[in-house]
Amino acid sequence: MESTSSSQTSFASPYRDDIVISWPELHRDTRVLCHTLMEKGPFKGIIAIARGGMIPAALVARELEIRLLDTICASSYDESIEDNEGAQIMRSEVKVLKGVDHDGEGYLLIDDLVDTGNTARVIRKLLPKAYFATLYAKPMGRDVVDLCVKEFSQDKWIYFPWDIDYKFVPPIKKIR
């Protein structure tokens, strides 16, 4: 499948199909994650990998009653290039936009998904002593994290509830 960006550059998409995560599923998976994290803690605080890890980190903070929250901000997608489905194109370099001033000892590092592992590996080097948990993982990045709830194949594009808009779809008979 090829896609064209606004700059008319073609990219071959590595994704075969999509997985849509609903709000209830995200909450359920976060609670599953928290049950395991209860056995791994206590933690001094949580470091969310912005942006995807911010909502899961807030939910984990609530469930584990952790009040100290911070972010590490990194970008591994080229925000200027999107395929025809709205998926951002991965770039080879990871930019750390904001770090933290420690090695992660006693902290819980949270993200929504580890995909290729590029961002996770960079952040893991910066915070080698943090316990790294994600809700979801794909094979290329699974070895970087300590814990995940579900694993998906590498060729799936994951849509999170904050990525999608629910809207009415007319019955098939009416659109023919």
Coordinates of all heavy atoms in Angstrom, one line a residue, residues 106-165:
G106 N 13.9 3.9 41.2 CA 12.7 4.0 42.0 C 11.5 4.6 41.2 O 10.4 4.7 41.8
Y107 N 11.6 4.9 40.0 CA 10.6 5.5 39.2 C 10.0 4.4 38.2 O 10.6 3.5 37.8 CB 11.0 6.7 38.4 CG 11.2 7.9 39.2 CD1 12.3 8.1 40.0 CD2 10.2 8.9 39.3 CE1 12.5 9.2 40.8 CE2 10.3 10.0 40.0 CZ 11.5 10.2 40.8 OH 11.6 11.3 41.6
L108 N 8.7 4.7 37.9 CA 8.0 3.9 36.9 C 7.9 4.7 35.6 O 7.5 5.9 35.7 CB 6.6 3.7 37.5 CG 5.6 2.9 36.6 CD1 6.1 1.5 36.2 CD2 4.3 2.7 37.4
L109 N 8.4 4.2 34.6 CA 8.3 4.8 33.3 C 7.2 4.2 32.5 O 7.1 3.0 32.3 CB 9.7 4.6 32.5 CG 9.9 5.2 31.2 CD1 9.9 6.7 31.2 CD2 11.3 4.7 30.6
I110 N 6.3 5.1 32.0 CA 5.0 4.6 31.3 C 4.9 5.2 29.9 O 5.1 6.4 29.7 CB 3.8 5.1 32.1 CG1 3.8 4.5 33.5 CG2 2.5 4.7 31.4 CD1 3.4 3.0 33.6
D111 N 4.5 4.3 29.0 CA 4.2 4.7 27.6 C 3.0 3.9 27.2 O 2.6 2.9 27.9 CB 5.4 4.5 26.7 CG 5.3 5.4 25.5 OD1 4.3 6.1 25.3 OD2 6.2 5.3 24.7
D112 N 2.3 4.3 26.2 CA 1.1 3.6 25.7 C 1.5 2.4 24.9 O 0.9 1.3 25.0 CB 0.2 4.6 24.8 CG 1.0 5.2 23.7 OD1 2.2 5.1 23.6 OD2 0.3 5.9 22.9
L113 N 2.6 2.5 24.1 CA 3.0 1.5 23.1 C 4.5 1.5 22.8 O 5.0 2.6 22.7 CB 2.2 1.8 21.8 CG 2.7 1.0 20.5 CD1 2.3 -0.5 20.6 CD2 2.1 1.6 19.3
V114 N 5.1 0.4 22.8 CA 6.4 0.3 22.2 C 6.3 -0.4 20.9 O 5.8 -1.5 20.8 CB 7.4 -0.4 23.2 CG1 7.1 -1.8 23.5 CG2 8.9 -0.3 22.6
D115 N 6.7 0.3 19.8 CA 6.5 -0.1 18.5 C 7.8 -0.7 17.9 O 8.1 -1.9 18.1 CB 6.0 1.0 17.6 CG 5.5 0.6 16.2 OD1 6.1 -0.3 15.6 OD2 4.5 1.2 15.7
T116 N 8.6 0.1 17.3 CA 9.9 -0.4 16.8 C 11.0 -0.5 17.9 O 12.0 -1.1 17.7 CB 10.5 0.5 15.7 OG1 10.7 1.8 16.2 CG2 9.5 0.6 14.5
G117 N 10.7 0.3 19.0 CA 11.7 0.3 20.1 C 12.7 1.4 20.0 O 13.5 1.6 20.9
N118 N 12.6 2.2 18.9 CA 13.6 3.3 18.7 C 13.6 4.3 19.8 O 14.6 4.6 20.4 CB 13.4 4.0 17.3 CG 13.8 3.1 16.1 OD1 14.4 2.1 16.3 ND2 13.3 3.5 15.0
T119 N 12.4 4.8 20.1 CA 12.2 5.8 21.1 C 12.5 5.2 22.5 O 13.2 5.7 23.3 CB 10.8 6.4 21.1 OG1 10.6 7.0 19.9 CG2 10.6 7.5 22.2
A120 N 12.0 4.0 22.7 CA 12.2 3.3 24.0 C 13.6 3.0 24.3 O 14.1 3.2 25.4 CB 11.4 2.0 24.0
R121 N 14.4 2.7 23.3 CA 15.8 2.4 23.5 C 16.6 3.7 23.9 O 17.4 3.7 24.8 CB 16.5 1.8 22.3 CG 16.2 0.3 22.1 CD 16.8 -0.3 20.9 NE 16.4 -1.7 20.8 CZ 15.2 -2.1 20.2 NH1 14.4 -1.2 19.7 NH2 14.9 -3.3 20.2
V122 N 16.3 4.8 23.3 CA 16.9 6.1 23.6 C 16.5 6.5 25.1 O 17.4 6.8 25.9 CB 16.5 7.2 22.7 CG1 16.9 8.6 23.2 CG2 17.1 6.9 21.3
I123 N 15.3 6.3 25.4 CA 14.8 6.7 26.8 C 15.3 5.7 27.8 O 15.7 6.1 28.9 CB 13.3 6.9 26.8 CG1 12.9 8.1 26.0 CG2 12.8 7.0 28.2 CD1 11.4 8.3 25.7
R124 N 15.4 4.5 27.5 CA 16.0 3.5 28.4 C 17.4 3.8 28.7 O 17.8 3.6 29.9 CB 15.8 2.1 27.8 CG 16.4 1.0 28.5 CD 15.8 0.8 29.9 NE 14.9 -0.4 29.8 CZ 14.2 -0.7 30.9 NH1 14.2 -0.1 32.0 NH2 13.4 -1.8 30.8
K125 N 18.2 4.3 27.8 CA 19.6 4.7 28.1 C 19.6 5.9 29.0 O 20.5 6.0 29.8 CB 20.3 5.0 26.8 CG 20.7 3.8 26.0 CD 21.4 4.1 24.7 CE 21.6 2.9 23.8 NZ 22.1 3.2 22.5
L126 N 18.7 6.8 28.9 CA 18.6 8.0 29.8 C 18.1 7.6 31.2 O 18.5 8.2 32.2 CB 17.7 9.0 29.2 CG 18.1 9.6 27.8 CD1 17.1 10.5 27.3 CD2 19.5 10.4 28.0
L127 N 17.3 6.6 31.3 CA 16.7 6.2 32.6 C 16.9 4.7 32.8 O 15.9 3.9 32.9 CB 15.2 6.6 32.6 CG 14.9 8.1 32.4 CD1 13.4 8.3 32.1 CD2 15.3 8.8 33.7
P128 N 18.1 4.2 32.9 CA 18.4 2.8 32.9 C 17.8 2.1 34.2 O 17.6 0.9 34.2 CB 19.9 2.7 32.9 CG 20.4 4.0 33.4 CD 19.4 5.0 33.0
K129 N 17.6 2.8 35.2 CA 17.1 2.2 36.5 C 15.6 2.3 36.7 O 15.1 1.8 37.7 CB 17.9 2.8 37.7 CG 19.3 2.5 37.6 CD 20.0 3.0 38.9 CE 21.5 2.7 38.8 NZ 22.2 3.2 40.0
A130 N 14.9 2.9 35.8 CA 13.4 3.0 35.9 C 12.8 1.6 35.5 O 13.4 0.9 34.7 CB 12.9 4.1 34.9
Y131 N 11.7 1.3 36.1 CA 10.9 0.2 35.7 C 10.0 0.6 34.5 O 9.2 1.5 34.7 CB 10.1 -0.4 36.9 CG 9.4 -1.7 36.6 CD1 10.1 -2.9 36.7 CD2 8.1 -1.8 36.1 CE1 9.6 -4.1 36.4 CE2 7.6 -3.0 35.8 CZ 8.3 -4.1 35.9 OH 7.7 -5.4 35.6
F132 N 10.2 0.0 33.4 CA 9.5 0.5 32.1 C 8.3 -0.4 31.8 O 8.4 -1.6 31.5 CB 10.6 0.4 31.0 CG 10.2 1.2 29.8 CD1 11.3 1.4 28.8 CD2 9.0 1.7 29.5 CE1 11.0 2.1 27.7 CE2 8.7 2.4 28.4 CZ 9.7 2.7 27.4
A133 N 7.1 0.2 31.8 CA 5.9 -0.5 31.5 C 5.1 0.2 30.4 O 5.0 1.4 30.4 CB 5.0 -0.6 32.8
T134 N 4.5 -0.6 29.5 CA 3.7 -0.1 28.5 C 2.4 -0.9 28.5 O 2.4 -2.0 29.0 CB 4.3 -0.2 27.1 OG1 4.5 -1.5 26.8 CG2 5.6 0.6 27.0
L135 N 1.4 -0.3 27.9 CA 0.1 -1.1 27.8 C 0.3 -2.1 26.7 O -0.1 -3.3 26.8 CB -1.0 -0.1 27.4 CG -1.5 0.8 28.6 CD1 -2.5 1.8 28.1 CD2 -2.0 -0.1 29.7
Y136 N 0.9 -1.7 25.6 CA 1.0 -2.5 24.4 C 2.4 -2.6 23.8 O 3.1 -1.6 24.0 CB 0.0 -2.0 23.3 CG -1.4 -1.8 23.9 CD1 -1.9 -0.5 24.0 CD2 -2.1 -2.8 24.4 CE1 -3.1 -0.2 24.5 CE2 -3.4 -2.6 25.0 CZ -3.9 -1.3 25.0 OH -5.1 -1.1 25.6
A137 N 2.7 -3.7 23.2 CA 4.1 -3.8 22.6 C 4.0 -4.6 21.3 O 3.1 -5.4 21.1 CB 5.0 -4.6 23.6
K138 N 4.9 -4.3 20.4 CA 5.1 -5.0 19.2 C 6.5 -5.7 19.3 O 7.4 -5.3 20.1 CB 5.1 -4.1 18.0 CG 3.7 -3.5 17.8 CD 3.7 -2.6 16.5 CE 2.4 -1.9 16.3 NZ 2.5 -1.0 15.1
P139 N 6.7 -6.7 18.5 CA 7.9 -7.6 18.6 C 9.3 -6.8 18.6 O 10.2 -7.1 19.3 CB 7.8 -8.6 17.5 CG 6.4 -8.7 17.2 CD 5.8 -7.3 17.5
M140 N 9.4 -5.8 17.7 CA 10.7 -5.1 17.5 C 11.0 -4.3 18.8 O 12.2 -4.0 19.0 CB 10.6 -4.2 16.3 CG 10.7 -4.9 15.0 SD 10.5 -3.8 13.6 CE 11.9 -2.8 13.7
G141 N 10.1 -4.0 19.6 CA 10.4 -3.2 20.8 C 10.1 -3.9 22.1 O 10.5 -3.4 23.2
R142 N 9.6 -5.1 22.1 CA 9.2 -5.8 23.3 C 10.3 -6.0 24.3 O 10.1 -5.9 25.5 CB 8.5 -7.1 23.0 CG 8.1 -7.9 24.2 CD 7.1 -7.2 25.1 NE 6.7 -7.9 26.2 CZ 7.3 -7.7 27.4 NH1 8.3 -6.9 27.6 NH2 6.9 -8.4 28.5
D143 N 11.5 -6.2 23.8 CA 12.6 -6.5 24.7 C 13.1 -5.3 25.5 O 13.8 -5.5 26.4 CB 13.8 -7.1 23.9 CG 14.4 -6.1 22.9 OD1 13.6 -5.4 22.2 OD2 15.6 -6.1 22.7
V144 N 12.7 -4.1 25.1 CA 13.1 -2.9 25.8 C 12.4 -2.6 27.0 O 12.9 -2.0 28.0 CB 13.0 -1.7 24.8 CG1 13.6 -0.4 25.5 CG2 13.7 -1.9 23.5
V145 N 11.1 -3.1 27.1 CA 10.3 -2.8 28.3 C 10.3 -4.0 29.2 O 10.5 -5.1 28.9 CB 8.9 -2.4 27.9 CG1 8.9 -1.1 27.0 CG2 8.1 -3.5 27.2
D146 N 10.0 -3.7 30.5 CA 9.9 -4.7 31.5 C 8.6 -5.4 31.6 O 8.5 -6.6 31.9 CB 10.2 -4.1 32.9 CG 11.6 -3.5 33.0 OD1 12.5 -4.2 32.7 OD2 11.7 -2.3 33.4
L147 N 7.5 -4.6 31.2 CA 6.2 -5.2 31.3 C 5.2 -4.6 30.3 O 5.3 -3.4 30.0 CB 5.6 -4.8 32.7 CG 4.2 -5.2 33.1 CD1 4.0 -6.7 33.1 CD2 3.8 -4.6 34.4
C148 N 4.4 -5.4 29.7 CA 3.3 -4.9 28.8 C 2.1 -5.8 29.1 O 2.2 -6.9 29.6 CB 3.7 -4.9 27.4 SG 3.7 -6.5 26.6
V149 N 0.9 -5.2 28.7 CA -0.3 -6.0 28.9 C -0.7 -6.9 27.7 O -1.0 -8.0 27.8 CB -1.5 -5.0 29.2 CG1 -2.8 -5.8 29.3 CG2 -1.2 -4.3 30.5
K150 N -0.6 -6.3 26.5 CA -0.9 -7.0 25.3 C 0.2 -6.8 24.2 O 0.8 -5.7 24.2 CB -2.2 -6.5 24.7 CG -3.4 -6.9 25.5 CD -4.7 -6.4 24.8 CE -5.9 -6.7 25.6 NZ -7.1 -6.0 25.1
E151 N 0.4 -7.8 23.4 CA 1.3 -7.7 22.3 C 0.6 -7.9 21.0 O -0.4 -8.6 20.9 CB 2.4 -8.8 22.4 CG 3.2 -8.7 23.7 CD 4.3 -9.7 23.8 OE1 4.9 -10.1 22.8 OE2 4.6 -10.2 24.9
F152 N 1.0 -7.0 20.0 CA 0.4 -7.0 18.7 C 1.5 -7.3 17.7 O 2.7 -6.9 17.9 CB -0.3 -5.7 18.4 CG -1.4 -5.4 19.3 CD1 -1.4 -4.4 20.3 CD2 -2.6 -6.1 19.1 CE1 -2.4 -4.1 21.1 CE2 -3.7 -5.8 19.9 CZ -3.6 -4.8 20.9
S153 N 1.1 -7.8 16.5 CA 2.1 -8.0 15.5 C 2.6 -6.7 14.9 O 2.0 -5.6 15.0 CB 1.6 -8.9 14.3 OG 0.5 -8.2 13.7
Q154 N 3.8 -6.7 14.4 CA 4.5 -5.5 13.9 C 3.7 -4.7 12.8 O 3.8 -3.5 12.7 CB 5.9 -5.8 13.4 CG 6.8 -4.6 13.4 CD 7.2 -4.2 14.8 OE1 7.4 -4.9 15.7 NE2 7.2 -2.8 15.0
D155 N 2.9 -5.5 12.0 CA 2.2 -4.9 10.9 C 0.8 -4.3 11.2 O 0.1 -4.0 10.4 CB 2.1 -5.9 9.8 CG 1.3 -7.1 10.1 OD1 0.9 -7.2 11.3 OD2 1.1 -7.9 9.2
K156 N 0.6 -4.1 12.5 CA -0.7 -3.5 12.9 C -0.5 -2.1 13.3 O 0.5 -1.7 14.0 CB -1.3 -4.2 14.2 CG -1.5 -5.7 14.0 CD -2.6 -6.0 13.2 CE -2.8 -7.5 13.2 NZ -3.6 -8.0 12.1
W157 N -1.4 -1.2 12.8 CA -1.3 0.2 13.3 C -2.3 0.3 14.4 O -3.5 -0.1 14.3 CB -1.7 1.2 12.2 CG -1.6 2.6 12.6 CD1 -2.7 3.4 13.0 CD2 -0.5 3.4 12.8 NE1 -2.2 4.6 13.4 CE2 -0.9 4.7 13.3 CE3 0.9 3.2 12.6 CZ2 0.0 5.7 13.6 CZ3 1.8 4.2 12.9 CH2 1.3 5.4 13.4
I158 N -1.9 0.9 15.6 CA -2.7 1.0 16.7 C -3.3 2.4 16.8 O -2.6 3.4 16.8 CB -2.0 0.7 18.0 CG1 -1.1 -0.6 17.9 CG2 -2.9 0.7 19.2 CD1 -1.9 -1.8 17.7
Y159 N -4.7 2.5 16.9 CA -5.3 3.8 17.1 C -5.8 3.8 18.5 O -6.5 2.9 19.0 CB -6.5 3.9 16.2 CG -6.2 4.3 14.7 CD1 -6.2 3.3 13.7 CD2 -5.8 5.6 14.4 CE1 -5.8 3.7 12.4 CE2 -5.5 5.9 13.1 CZ -5.5 5.0 12.1 OH -5.1 5.3 10.9
F160 N -5.4 4.8 19.2 CA -5.9 5.0 20.6 C -7.1 5.9 20.6 O -7.4 6.6 19.7 CB -4.7 5.7 21.4 CG -3.6 4.7 21.6 CD1 -2.5 4.6 20.8 CD2 -3.7 3.8 22.7 CE1 -1.5 3.7 21.0 CE2 -2.6 2.9 22.9 CZ -1.6 2.8 22.0
P161 N -7.9 5.9 21.8 CA -9.1 6.6 21.8 C -8.9 8.1 21.5 O -9.8 8.7 21.0 CB -9.6 6.4 23.2 CG -8.9 5.2 23.8 CD -7.6 5.1 23.0
W162 N -7.8 8.6 21.9 CA -7.6 10.1 21.7 C -7.2 10.4 20.2 O -7.1 11.5 19.8 CB -6.5 10.6 22.6 CG -5.2 9.8 22.7 CD1 -4.2 9.9 21.8 CD2 -4.9 8.8 23.6 NE1 -3.2 9.0 22.1 CE2 -3.6 8.3 23.2 CE3 -5.5 8.2 24.7 CZ2 -3.0 7.3 23.9 CZ3 -4.9 7.2 25.4 CH2 -3.6 6.8 25.0
D163 N -7.0 9.3 19.4 CA -6.6 9.5 18.0 C -7.8 9.5 17.1 O -7.7 9.8 15.9 CB -5.7 8.3 17.5 CG -4.4 8.4 18.2 OD1 -3.8 9.4 18.4 OD2 -3.8 7.3 18.3
I164 N -9.0 9.1 17.6 CA -10.1 8.8 16.7 C -11.3 9.7 17.1 O -11.4 10.1 18.2 CB -10.5 7.3 16.6 CG1 -10.8 6.8 18.0 CG2 -9.3 6.6 16.0 CD1 -11.2 5.4 18.0
D165 N -12.2 9.8 16.2 CA -13.5 10.5 16.4 C -14.6 9.6 16.1 O -14.7 9.0 15.0 CB -13.5 11.8 15.5 CG -14.7 12.7 15.8 OD1 -15.2 12.6 16.9 OD2 -15.1 13.4 14.9

